[in-house]
Amino acid sequence: MKELNYLEKDISKISQILKKGKGSFKTRGWFKRKRELKNKIFFILFDETSELQCVVDRDKALKDLIKDAEKVTIQSSVELEGQLKKDERAPDGFELQIKKMHIVGLAQDFPIGKDLSTEFLMDVRHLWLRSAKMRDALKVRATVFDSFRKFMEKENVVETQGAMFVSGSVEGGSTLFEVPYFGKKAFLTQSSQFYLEVLMHSLGKVYTIAPSFRAEKSKTRRHLTEFWHAEVELPWAHLEDIIDFEERMIKFMVKTVVEKNSKELKALGRNTEDLMPTIEQKFHRKKYKDVVKDAMKKFSYLKHGSDLGEKEEREITKSLKKPLIITHYPDSLKPFYHRRNPDNPKEILCNDILAPEGFGEIIGSGERVWNEKKLVEQIKKDKLNPEDYQWYVDLRKFGSVPRAGFGMGLDRFTAWIVNAEHIRDVIPLPRTMNRIAP
Ligand code: 4AD
């Protein structure tokens, strides 16, 4: 392995080179393709900003350069010096004629070629992450996280953190990961919501971005066992407040991504026109009972009180062009912390938001029970022990206020925005039922 020759300040990134359009440049990156003709050796160089066709001309280059150009393999890291020329045959209309090449790290035979199985690509995920497809998706993902934070800043919502090791469930026991904890039992948290409710009393409107864990035995295209959860809790808020907040937030986030990542979205095959109704129009809105009634026409096994899973939500949303807000789910379908409708205790003051085009649920949301007695009743009704939730109940004893909040899966949100086939295509290191490495 050779040391670097060039100083950072002398280096041009590929996007800068393409912007300038002419001149002589020092640059560095990795080769992703190599093609040898009789007189010329072509390469595609990439860095984190873009790709550039480069060429070594055997008739003009010095012997050492030709030798290096013949030897260098794809995925080798190189430093290059060359002259940029217009070339209509090159992918971006430009070609760098290499004058000097310095092989920094010569790559061995790269195991990734064309038409490989998903399983194999998951085994070599640490290498597959270099692909243009993953790089583009991860850039969009970065904007999704960033735009969420920007919206929170605009709305004066304060970032804070809960804890990942917890002593009980938030979303029901069936998806809890248990971990040994110094002779006791602990769990990995399913949601930071309860801690946000704690912190709301000192910080006001709060949010967190943290992993949440679910031991879900679901092998669908939208389930991870570890996902990135953006959660918000607003004091003094009711259902209408939180729905309004969410709708404005989704519009802001989608608009930001479309503005910032049009190049990546296009490369990933996402037509940004299809996202415009989300940005420009009011979302669809229906009550659970009406959604189920409609869905029964397609799925005869459904009845009032049935849970809507991946399959049903895909059908419900497949022809929609903008998100659907579903409100007032039956009390049997949601965990104990949801507030019942005082006028009809069989339904709760909650909403999910389903992304269109078949993607389904991206947000779970609603009002929280803020009365101590009612909360204890609902904990017992869910066959849980109120003592395990003593501190959560405590919050209702000392100056409780109405509150509402939500959790959005940032991975699911990103999958929808880039129109991904599977959630694993938008998270660097997906954790699923049968995958915890690399
Ligand atoms: O609907 P969920 O389970 O709601 C909660 O966890 C609430 N405590 C959140 C809150 O109100 N603070 O999950 C919220 C969102 C879902 O809409 C989905 O986007 C995402 O989290 N999610 C998952 N994403 C990927 N893989 C999984 N297994 C997910 N489970 C939930």
Side-chain angles (χ1 to χ4, degrees):
M1 192 85 76
K2 287 190 191 164
E3 293 305 317
L4 299 179
N5 278 341
Y6 301 152
L7 296 176
E8 175 74 29
K9 69 180 174 57
D10 298 325
I11 289 288
S12 302
K13 292 282 174 198
I14 296 176
S15 59
Q16 296 170 322
I17 297 176
L18 289 169
K19 214 166 158 191
K20 286 202 174 131
K22 61 175 184 205
S24 134
F25 297 98
K26 287 180 177 152
T27 188
R28 56 189 172 210
W30 295 263
F31 283 142
K32 71 176 241 186
R33 258 196 302 269
K34 177 174 180 179
R35 192 158 58 96
E36 293 198 54
L37 302 181
K38 195 158 162 262
N39 298 328
K40 291 183 174 177
I41 307 175
F42 292 97
F43 301 97
I44 300 291
L45 180 78
F46 72 90
D47 65 10
E48 70 280 16
T49 67
S50 203
E51 295 183 357
L52 176 63
Q53 179 167 303
C54 304
V55 66
V56 170
D57 191 333
R58 283 197 167 103
D59 296 334
K60 295 183 193 151
L62 297 173
K63 256 198 195 135
D64 278 357
L65 175 57
I66 297 173
K67 231 164 73 191
D68 275 348
E70 283 170 352
K71 176 171 92 175
V72 74
T73 46
I74 59 162
Q75 294 296 326
S76 294
S77 46
V78 290
E79 289 183 324
L80 301 177
E81 201 169 324
Q83 186 77 28
L84 195 69
K85 288 268 154 65
K86 272 202 168 136
D87 187 320
E88 262 146 37
R89 291 161 300 178
D92 277 290
F94 293 100
E95 182 177 85
L96 188 79
Q97 303 192 317
I98 301 174
K99 302 284 178 242
K100 284 187 190 160
M101 179 189 301
H102 167 215
I103 303 172
V104 180
L106 184 69
Q108 298 180 17
D109 267 356
F110 198 58
I112 302 178
K114 279 198 173 127
D115 300 327
L116 294 164
S117 71
T118 304
E119 267 318 288
F120 178 77
L121 291 177
M122 291 304 296
D123 289 342
V124 293
R125 185 75 169 182
H126 52 296
L127 303 175
W128 177 237
L129 284 171
R130 301 175 181 196
S131 66
K133 184 178 169 198
M134 284 311 305
R135 196 167 57 239
D136 287 337
L138 295 183
K139 280 189 185 176
V140 174
R141 180 185 172 91
T143 310
V144 166
F145 277 61
D146 191 44
S147 61
F148 177 83
R149 285 207 165 89
K150 286 219 169 78
F151 186 80
M152 295 304 136
E153 202 184 331
K154 240 161 57 89
E155 300 280 325
N156 295 314
V157 188
V158 178
E159 180 163 11
T160 188
Q161 290 79 31
M164 300 296 106
F165 284 126
V166 294
S167 57
S169 81
V170 180
E171 297 297 320
S174 67
T175 63
L176 263 183
F177 271 116
E178 193 179 312
V179 282
Y181 199 80
F182 305 109
K184 290 194 196 139
K185 251 202 260 182
F187 306 98
L188 297 176
T189 197
Q190 297 162 308
S191 157
S192 298
Q193 176 195 323
F194 290 179
Y195 291 128
L196 290 185
E197 288 189 55
V198 171
L199 288 152
M200 186 185 84
H201 286 267
S202 59
L203 296 171
K205 298 190 270 185
V206 283
Y207 80 91
T208 197
I209 297 184
S212 283
F213 304 88
R214 306 276 168 104
E216 282 189 277
K217 295 202 172 89
S218 304
K219 285 187 184 163
T220 75
R221 66 174 192 152
R222 69 177 193 181
H223 280 99
L224 295 165
T225 52
E226 176 183 320
F227 68 95
W228 282 83
H229 210 170
E231 297 185 270
V232 170
E233 210 58 34
L234 307 180
W236 316 100
H238 291 285
L239 186 61
E240 289 310 316
D241 301 307
I242 201 72
I243 289 178
D244 172 64
F245 185 97
E246 290 158 1
E247 186 163 351
R248 286 186 295 111
M249 178 191 76
I250 292 174
K251 287 179 185 297
F252 176 86
M253 291 175 71
V254 175
K255 186 163 182 274
T256 308
V257 177
V258 167
E259 283 168 2
K260 189 161 178 204
N261 295 110
S262 59
K263 186 176 145 209
E264 287 77 17
L265 291 172
K266 190 166 170 230
L268 291 163
R270 160 56 97 182
N271 182 353
T272 50
E273 278 304 308
D274 294 342
L275 294 169
M276 297 323 269
T278 296
I279 299 173
E280 290 167 354
Q281 297 171 20
K282 202 149 178 53
F283 293 177
H284 298 290
R285 183 165 167 169
K286 279 185 178 174
K287 284 194 159 189
Y288 164 89
K289 65 178 172 43
D290 298 321
V291 174
V292 168
K293 218 191 276 167
D294 267 2
M296 280 175 195
K297 291 177 201 149
K298 172 87 190 173
F299 302 111
S300 54
Y301 55 84
L302 286 180
K303 54 182 190 322
H304 187 84
S306 299
D307 204 359
L308 302 172
E310 198 267 339
K311 188 169 85 183
E312 294 81 16
E313 288 189 355
R314 190 175 343 142
E315 183 62 30
I316 291 165
T317 60
K318 80 175 185 208
S319 57
L320 300 184
K321 306 274 180 257
K322 56 188 180 180
L324 166 66
I325 302 167
I326 305 181
T327 65
H328 301 91
Y329 282 76
D331 63 337
S332 56
L333 282 184
K334 299 280 179 184
F336 66 84
Y337 59 75
H338 283 281
R339 180 163 177 244
R340 270 59 185 158
N341 182 353
D343 300 328
N344 174 7
K346 286 266 160 232
E347 67 179 22
I348 48 184
L349 297 171
C350 72
N351 70 287
D352 281 1
I353 298 190
L354 275 51
E357 302 168 283
F359 280 90
E361 186 194 333
I362 49 171
I363 280 188
S365 159
E367 287 188 30
R368 321 306 189 193
V369 194
W370 58 285
N371 172 290
E372 182 201 347
K373 201 168 134 253
K374 286 219 169 73
L375 180 62
V376 173
E377 264 171 37
Q378 289 187 193
I379 291 174
K380 287 183 183 157
K381 209 169 152 219
D382 270 12
K383 301 199 170 44
L384 295 164
N385 182 357
E387 274 168 32
D388 292 343
Y389 295 92
Q390 174 267 325
W391 58 268
Y392 187 64
V393 175
D394 236 20
L395 302 177
R396 276 75 183 160
K397 291 187 190 169
F398 305 102
S400 190
V401 290
R403 68 204 54 201
F406 69 88
M408 175 161 80
L410 292 175
D411 320 283
R412 283 195 190 174
F413 184 89
T414 312
W416 161 47
I417 296 300
V418 308
N419 205 6
E421 264 168 44
H422 198 287
I423 198 165
R424 66 176 164 244
D425 296 339
V426 298
I427 177 167
L429 300 158
R431 296 295 181 244
T432 52
M433 257 181 87
N434 42 22
R435 172 102 21 210
I436 49 163

